[in-house]
Amino acid sequence: MIATLATPRRKRVQEALTRAGSDKRFKILEAHMKKHQHRQDALIEILHKAQELFGYLDDDQLLFVAHRLKLPPSRVYGVATFYHFFRLKPKGEHTCVVCMGTACYVKGADKILAAIEQFAGVHAGETTPDGRVSVLTARCIGACGIAPAVVYDGNVAPRQTPESAVATIQSWMNHGS
């Protein structure tokens, strides 16, 4: 049983390493790991660099890092999924972050999020199939005085309504940028 499980994993690692050989970003990542002397305790910093290079962390990158640092893939994946900063899927062209802090929530952030999710056809934490919009939530963005607040592509918008939020998302989906 163990031999049958190990073979597909070994094959997946080999396939990831083969794909990595033709991508310059993996060479940069390898140099970054060398800078950290391939230390296992530098895993978080190395994952940050991988995400900076690729925009997100996919199976190939996680397997590559695990192999090079001599760590089990489960540990690398565990770290990547534990920390909120790491993304395992590509981010959309535009991002919409709905603040779910107490002040925003009390003033209707849940209704804003529901309207955005319904219009975009995705749930919080997902990206539309066309890659245009990522819908995210934040525990609090520290803008309680202008609640409910939504962050559109890094810009905080005050006193949002479900209609104003959907209008912004609609403009991104219909007009490009």
Side-chain angles (χ1 to χ4, degrees):
M1 180 88 173
I2 292 174
T4 59
L5 291 176
T7 305
R9 185 176 0 165
R10 212 173 293 129
K11 184 177 179 185
R12 282 185 56 214
V13 170
Q14 194 57 46
E15 289 171 357
L17 294 174
T18 301
R19 284 189 290 275
S22 62
D23 190 330
K24 291 179 183 178
R25 296 174 293 184
F26 280 102
K27 289 177 180 37
I28 296 168
L29 183 58
E30 179 67 42
H32 190 72
M33 285 189 268
K34 187 174 182 180
K35 178 181 138 189
H36 287 283
Q37 301 170 348
H38 291 85
R39 288 188 344 260
Q40 294 177 349
D41 64 350
L43 176 59
I44 292 174
E45 287 142 33
I46 291 165
L47 290 176
H48 277 289
K49 185 64 172 183
Q51 183 165 285
E52 176 187 315
L53 291 166
F54 294 91
Y56 68 103
L57 301 172
D58 71 6
D59 286 347
D60 282 357
Q61 292 134 26
L62 295 174
L63 288 169
F64 180 82
V65 168
H67 180 74
R68 291 293 200 252
L69 296 183
K70 297 179 177 38
L71 286 168
S74 59
R75 176 150 177 229
V76 176
Y77 182 78
V79 169
T81 56
F82 178 80
Y83 292 101
H84 190 263
F85 176 81
F86 295 120
R87 289 185 306 278
L88 300 181
K89 296 178 182 174
K91 188 171 77 167
E93 183 182 336
H94 298 283
T95 57
C96 172
V97 182
V98 179
C99 179
M100 298 301 280
T102 303
C104 290
Y105 190 85
V106 167
K107 292 188 175 189
D110 58 328
K111 293 172 186 63
I112 293 168
L113 180 60
I116 292 168
E117 288 176 331
Q118 182 177 5
F119 177 78
V122 295
H123 295 289
E126 297 178 345
T127 300
T128 56
D130 62 3
R132 304 286 299 214
V133 181
S134 290
V135 178
L136 307 167
T137 60
R139 291 185 186 126
C140 180
I141 63 168
C144 303
I146 59 171
V150 178
V151 182
Y152 301 107
D153 286 343
N155 299 309
V156 179
R159 297 172 192 83
Q160 293 297 283
T161 64
E163 295 78 19
S164 64
V166 166
T168 299
I169 304 301
Q170 186 173 29
S171 71
W172 287 344
M173 293 176 88
N174 293 340
H175 300 101
S177 293

